[in-house]
Structure formats: C-alpha cells, structure tokens
C-alpha cells in the first residue's frame, strides 16, 4: 500500500469558512479513497462531562453508545442521561458544521446519520468474525440499505484518551472488489424483499446493497484475504480527527478507546467524480446496473 493513504490538512476549528482550495483538496482526496486527517482538530469536552468518559457507561452487550438523529434517542448506555445526549448532540453539530463548510460541494446533499461514542478499549473485546472491525473490511449496513449512497464517516479521538486509535488501511476498492467478486454468493432478490416486509431492513436492499454486504462479509471471513492483503498501519493520536468514505476505503480498527464518530450519507450524483463510487466501480466490473 502506498503511503499516500492519508492526506493531512491544516484545519483547526469546527466551523468555516474554509479556503476553496482546501475544500477541493479534501473532496479530491476523499473521492480518491484517501483518509483526510485533521491532526490539529480536537473535540473538547466540558468539565461536567468528565464522568461520561468511561467504558462503565456501556450497557452489557453494546460496543458503542449511539444517538439516532431521527428520534434523538440514545442507545447502548446503562442509563439515559441528559448530559450524555448533550455531549453527543454537540459533537454531531460540530461534525455537521465542519463538513458542510469544509466539503462545500457536498453541503446541500449531505445527510447526517448516527453519532456514536466508543469509550471502551476495542482490542480487549470478543467479537464474532462478521462483527469484528479488527479485520480489514469496507462498511455496509445490514439493516439500512443505502441504494448506492455513500457512507462518509468522521472520527475523533478525545484528547483525554491515553492511546492512539490504531487502524490498518487496505488496497484500493477496485483492487479488492476485482479480487473477491468471483467468490461472492449469488444475489437473492426475493430475500431482499422479504427482509423489508418483515422489517429486518429499512427499505429493500438493492443489488448494490447485497453486493456490498457480501463483500463486507467475504473480506472479514476470508482468512486468506486477511493474511495476504497489503495494508498500511496508521495510528491516530488523541486530539486528532479524520474522515473517509468507509464504504470505499478498506479499514480495520485494532485498538484504542474514547472515540466519537459521526456518519453521513451522500448521493453518488453529488460527487465531483461519481465514477469513483463503489456503485459505479462494481457496475463497471460486473457489466450491469446495480441500483
Ligand atoms: C469501523 O468502522 O470499522 C470501526 C472504526 C473504529 O471503531 O475505529
Ligand atoms: Fe468499518
């Protein structure tokens, strides 16, 4: 993996305006499958929030605490607290304001989805292979089909963390897809409709969603791929923020704690170069329309 996996940009505040040249650099890097690192951008918590910065906040089975923007509901925590909801809400607004001005060309079509807080050390947990984000994968959401829309995520390690978040970044999407496509199971359109009817998925999985889930699963479950794929290790220090299209950039998160994350969706047509989207790459490789 070349060491151009990351582009570092000098951004030190959560709101703009930003130089249009900086916006172009950010959009170009993201669409090319690079991670945009904002090394000087920390999310500061308030003094009264210090009690929240602990893994004991998690209920027994959750790896994350999450805030659903549609309902304002906080999930995964032992008890609902107004303080916790306020911290997550403030992070969500900061991330939103940053991306709408840093990624100015996306401002009108970017949709904010879940916010998550990941207080626990991830290296110490047990996961089933499909749930195990320590294996290289691209993101695909089982219950929320995107129909081709992009998954753009912003991550920030709190300054109070005492370790970096250690990731691996894999090869270009097209390389991975071309390698693993022949091994993917056939699609099952009737099952996609059934899942939507019984409420297992929010909307019907398109052929694209089925391919992306199959690719996600294959990457994680294929030990030969995990053993032989090339990757670049990257450590994101406390007090730093980064973002990437996680449906495109193969990534694995090996260790770290006390991180906040905000998910966004973006329609393919809003991209400067839609041809770089996983949707268009898969369609090209397979010679058919997928969404
Ligand atoms: C992931 O999206 O795979 C997890 C990222 C992280 O928790 O650092
Ligand atoms: Fe992931």
């Amino acid at each position: 993996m070349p060491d151009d996996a990351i582009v570092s940009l000098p951004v030190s505040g959560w709101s703009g305006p930003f130089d249009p040249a900086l916006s172009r650099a950010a959009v170009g890097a993201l669409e090319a499958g690079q991670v945009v690192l904002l090394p000087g951008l920390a999310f500061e918590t308030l003094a009264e929030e210090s009690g929240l910065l602990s893994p004991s906040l998690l209920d027994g089975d959750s790896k994350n605490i999450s805030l659903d923007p549609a309902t304002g509901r906080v999930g995964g925590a032992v008890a609902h607290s107004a303080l916790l909801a306020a911290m997550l809400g403030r992070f969500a607004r900061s991330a939103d304001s940053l991306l709408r001005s840093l990624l100015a060309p996306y401002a009108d079509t970017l949709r904010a989805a879940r916010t998550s807080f990941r207080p626990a050390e991830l290296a110490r947990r047990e996961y089933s292979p499909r749930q195990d984000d320590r294996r290289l994968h691209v993101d695909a959401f089982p219950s929320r089909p995107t129909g081709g829309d992009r998954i753009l995520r912003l991550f920030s390690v709190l300054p109070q963390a005492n370790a970096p978040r250690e990731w691996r970044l894999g090869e270009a999407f097209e390389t991975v897809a071309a390698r693993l496509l022949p091994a993917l199971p056939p699609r099952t359109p009737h099952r996609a409709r059934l899942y939507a009817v019984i409420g297992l998925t929010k909307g019907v999985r398109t052929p694209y969603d089925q391919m992306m889930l199959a690719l996600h699963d294959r990457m994680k479950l294929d030990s030969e791929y995990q053993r032989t794929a090339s990757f670049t290790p990257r450590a994101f220090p406390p007090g730093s923020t980064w973002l990437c299209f996680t449906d495109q950039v193969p990534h694995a998160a090996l260790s770290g704690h006390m991180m906040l994350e905000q998910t966004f969706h973006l329609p393919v047509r809003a991209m400067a170069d839609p041809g770089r989207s996983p949707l268009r790459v898969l369609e090209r490789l397979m010679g058919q329309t997928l969404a």
Side-chain angles (χ1 to χ4, degrees), residues 153-236:
R153 299 182 120 171
L154 176 134
F155 304 88
S156 196
V157 180
L158 290 176
Q160 294 90 338
N162 57 27
R165 199 150 192 105
E166 293 186 288
W167 274 28
R168 288 175 173 177
L169 295 168
E171 296 159 302
F173 180 83
E174 183 146 1
T175 308
V176 178
R179 171 170 172 180
L180 297 180
L181 272 189
L184 300 189
R187 297 195 304 273
T188 50
H190 41 281
R191 197 179 297 169
R193 283 191 296 276
L194 174 68
Y195 286 173
V197 169
I198 63 177
L200 219 60
T201 59
K202 202 168 172 288
V204 182
R205 285 179 189 160
T206 62
Y208 169 77
D209 293 297
Q210 296 183 48
M211 295 296 305
M212 288 298 285
L213 274 172
L215 184 61
H216 165 275
D217 289 358
R218 181 72 199 190
M219 288 173 82
K220 282 187 175 172
L221 300 178
D222 186 335
S223 41
E224 163 83 5
Y225 169 74
Q226 293 293 329
R227 205 162 34 76
T228 57
S230 58
F231 64 84
T232 321
R234 287 313 288 220
F236 300 101

Side-chain angles (χ1 to χ4, degrees), residues 118 122 133 137 139 153 155 165 167 251 253 259:
R118 308 176 179 204
L122 62 90
D133 290 338
H137 65 282
D139 286 349
R153 299 182 120 171
F155 304 88
R165 199 150 192 105
W167 274 28
H251 59 284
M259 185 184 77

Side-chain angles (χ1 to χ4, degrees), residues 96-109:
D96 200 78
S97 108
L98 173 73
L99 292 207
R100 272 176 223 285
S101 72
L102 181 61
L103 309 179
Y106 298 165
D108 295 338
T109 46

Side-chain angles (χ1 to χ4, degrees), residues 10-18 22 38 40-42 94 97-99 101-102:
V11 166
S12 53
W14 292 91
S15 53
F18 296 102
L22 199 65
L38 313 175
L41 185 62
S94 302
S97 108
L98 173 73
L99 292 207
S101 72
L102 181 61

Side-chain angles (χ1 to χ4, degrees), residues 254-277:
L254 303 188
S255 69
H257 68 151
M258 278 204 226
M259 185 184 77
L260 283 156
E261 173 269 338
Q262 175 66 49
T263 300
F264 297 87
H265 294 292
L266 184 81
V268 165
R269 66 179 148 74
M271 297 174 63
D273 183 359
R276 292 181 183 267
S277 63

Side-chain angles (χ1 to χ4, degrees), residues 4-11 18-38 99 101-106 152 243-245 272-273 276:
D4 61 359
I6 298 218
V7 170
S8 227
L9 296 180
V11 166
F18 296 102
D19 185 338
L22 199 65
S23 288
R24 276 195 301 278
V27 165
L30 292 170
E31 293 191 7
Q34 293 172 305
V35 170
V36 168
L37 172 64
L38 313 175
L99 292 207
S101 72
L102 181 61
L103 309 179
Y106 298 165
L152 176 61
L243 56 150
C244 63
F245 281 115
D273 183 359
R276 292 181 183 267

